[in-house]
C-alpha cells in the first residue's frame, strides 16, 4: 500500500525567504503525486500535480515541486514566500489501480515579518 | 458553478445520536469521497464512490454509512455518534479517483 511522509510538522519562514517542504512517498510503481494547500478554516486546493514527464512541475501561486525517483521524494519549493502563503500543506500519492489518494500528515507553514 | 457543497458547516451531537452530512457536486464527476481530518493525522479516507450505485470502504469506514443514488449527491451517515468521531469532514469529487480532487468547505462535527 502507498504511504506518504511529511517529516516537518511545522516550519517558520521569514517573508521573502525561500521555502522547501519535504515529502517522501512509498509506492511500488510510478506514482501520481500532488501537493494541496489548506488555508485556515477552508477546504483543500490543488497546488500542483505530477503524473509523468518533466520531473520539475510548476504550480499555482509560484510554487514548484521536483520528483526524484531515486530518493522517493516530491519536495515543494518557492523562491520567495509571501505572508499569504501561511497555511497547511499536504502531499498526497495516488494509486491508479485502486483509485485512492493517500495524504501525508501535513506541514503547517508560519510566515514571520 | 457551486463546485462541491457541504451542509451543515457546524454540528454538535450527543453520543448515540445519528445524522447525515450532505455533499453535492455540480461538475458531473464520477468519483466522490469522504475524508476526516484530525490534528496530526492528515486526511483519512472514510468511503468513496466511483459512480452512482457503487461505493467502497476507505481507511476508516467503521461507524459510517454511504450511498450514491445520483451522480451529484454523496451523503455520509453517522449511525450512532461517538466522541471519537469528533472531527472535520471533507467531501471531495474528481473526474477520476487519482485526478485532481475538488474539496468542499468541510463540516466541523463535535460529539459530546
Amino acid at each position: 500500500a502507498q504511504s506518504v511522509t511529511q517529516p516537518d510538522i511545522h516550519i517558520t519562514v521569514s517573508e521573502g525567504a525561500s521555502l522547501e517542504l519535504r515529502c517522501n512517498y512509498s509506492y511500488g510503481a510510478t506514482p501520481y503525486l500532488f501537493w494541496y494547500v489548506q488555508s485556515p478554516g477552508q477546504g483543500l486546493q490543488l497546488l500542483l500535480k505530477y503524473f509523468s514527464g518533466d520531473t520539475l512541475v510548476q504550480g499555482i501561486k509560484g510554487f514548484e515541486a521536483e520528483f526524484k525517483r531515486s530518493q522517493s521524494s516530491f519536495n515543494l519549493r518557492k523562491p520567495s514566500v509571501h505572508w499569504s502563503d501561511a497555511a497547511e500543506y499536504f502531499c498526497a500519492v495516488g494509486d491508479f489501480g485502486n483509485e485512492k489518494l493517500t495524504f501525508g500528515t501535513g506541514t503547517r507553514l508560519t510566515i514571520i515579518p | 458553478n457551486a463546485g462541491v457543497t457541504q451542509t451543515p458547516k457546524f454540528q454538535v451531537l450527543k453520543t448515540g445520536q445519528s445524522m447525515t452530512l450532505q455533499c453535492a457536486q455540480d461538475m458531473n464527476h464520477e468519483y466522490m469521497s469522504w475524508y476526516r481530518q484530525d490534528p496530526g493525522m492528515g486526511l483519512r479516507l472514510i468511503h468513496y464512490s466511483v459512480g452512482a450505485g457503487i461505493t467502497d470502504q476507505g481507511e476508516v469506514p467503521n461507524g459510517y454509512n454511504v450511498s450514491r443514488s445520483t451522480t451529484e449527491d454523496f451523503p455520509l451517515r453517522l449511525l450512532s455518534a461517538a466522541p471519537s468521531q469528533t472531527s472535520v469532514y471533507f467531501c471531495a469529487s474528481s473526474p477520476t479517483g487519482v485526478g485532481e480532487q475538488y474539496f468542499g468547505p468541510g463540516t466541523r462535527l463535535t460529539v459530546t
Side-chain angles (χ1 to χ4, degrees):
Chain A
Q2 69 260 36
S3 66
V4 178
T5 301
Q6 293 181 248
D8 303 305
I9 296 173
H10 184 205
I11 284 182
T12 300
V13 176
S14 298
E15 190 168 15
S18 64
L19 171 70
E20 182 169 27
L21 302 182
R22 295 183 292 166
C23 172
N24 293 98
Y25 67 89
S26 172
Y27 185 66
T30 299
Y32 289 19
L33 295 162
F34 306 82
W35 275 100
Y36 284 84
V37 60
Q38 183 182 32
S39 298
Q42 304 295 313
L44 278 73
Q45 180 185 21
L46 181 71
L47 280 177
L48 47 79
K49 61 190 176 189
Y50 171 79
F51 283 178
S52 64
D54 194 346
T55 56
L56 186 62
V57 181
Q58 302 297 321
I60 62 171
K61 306 185 181 187
F63 285 91
E64 67 178 25
E66 186 171 12
F67 170 58
K68 292 186 178 180
R69 184 189 302 275
S70 62
Q71 299 177 19
S72 298
S73 69
F74 189 56
N75 294 350
L76 182 70
R77 302 194 295 246
K78 187 170 185 179
S80 176
V81 298
H82 186 261
W83 63 266
S84 60
D85 293 325
E88 188 146 21
Y89 292 80
F90 293 92
C91 182
V93 61
D95 183 338
F96 194 78
N98 63 23
E99 297 195 271
K100 293 180 184 177
L101 275 187
T102 299
F103 285 83
T105 53
T107 297
R108 184 160 62 92
L109 176 64
T110 298
I111 308 295
I112 57 176
Chain B
N1 190 342
V4 179
T5 58
Q6 292 183 238
T7 56
K9 290 183 71 67
F10 302 94
Q11 183 70 50
V12 179
L13 289 178
K14 295 187 186 304
T15 297
Q17 288 184 317
S18 62
M19 79 159 295
T20 299
L21 306 186
Q22 300 292 345
C23 175
Q25 54 96 4
D26 61 1
M27 296 172 283
N28 202 34
H29 288 163
E30 290 295 325
Y31 188 96
M32 295 186 74
S33 53
W34 277 102
Y35 295 88
R36 59 177 290 172
Q37 183 178 26
D38 302 292
M41 305 195 74
L43 278 79
R44 293 180 292 168
L45 183 65
I46 304 172
H47 284 286
Y48 66 103
S49 169
V50 300
I54 306 170
T55 64
D56 205 347
Q57 297 181 350
E59 181 184 355
V60 288
N62 292 342
Y64 307 95
N65 252 357
V66 293
S67 59
R68 184 98 178 269
S69 56
T70 68
T71 299
E72 295 77 21
D73 300 299
F74 191 43
L76 178 72
R77 298 181 187 83
L78 279 70
L79 309 173
S80 176
S84 61
Q85 294 178 304
T86 293
S87 187
V88 180
Y89 291 85
F90 288 100
C91 178
S93 74
S94 174
T96 65
V98 292
E100 175 179 356
Q101 303 281 316
Y102 294 80
F103 283 85
T107 295
R108 184 174 295 274
L109 175 68
T110 302
V111 182
T112 61

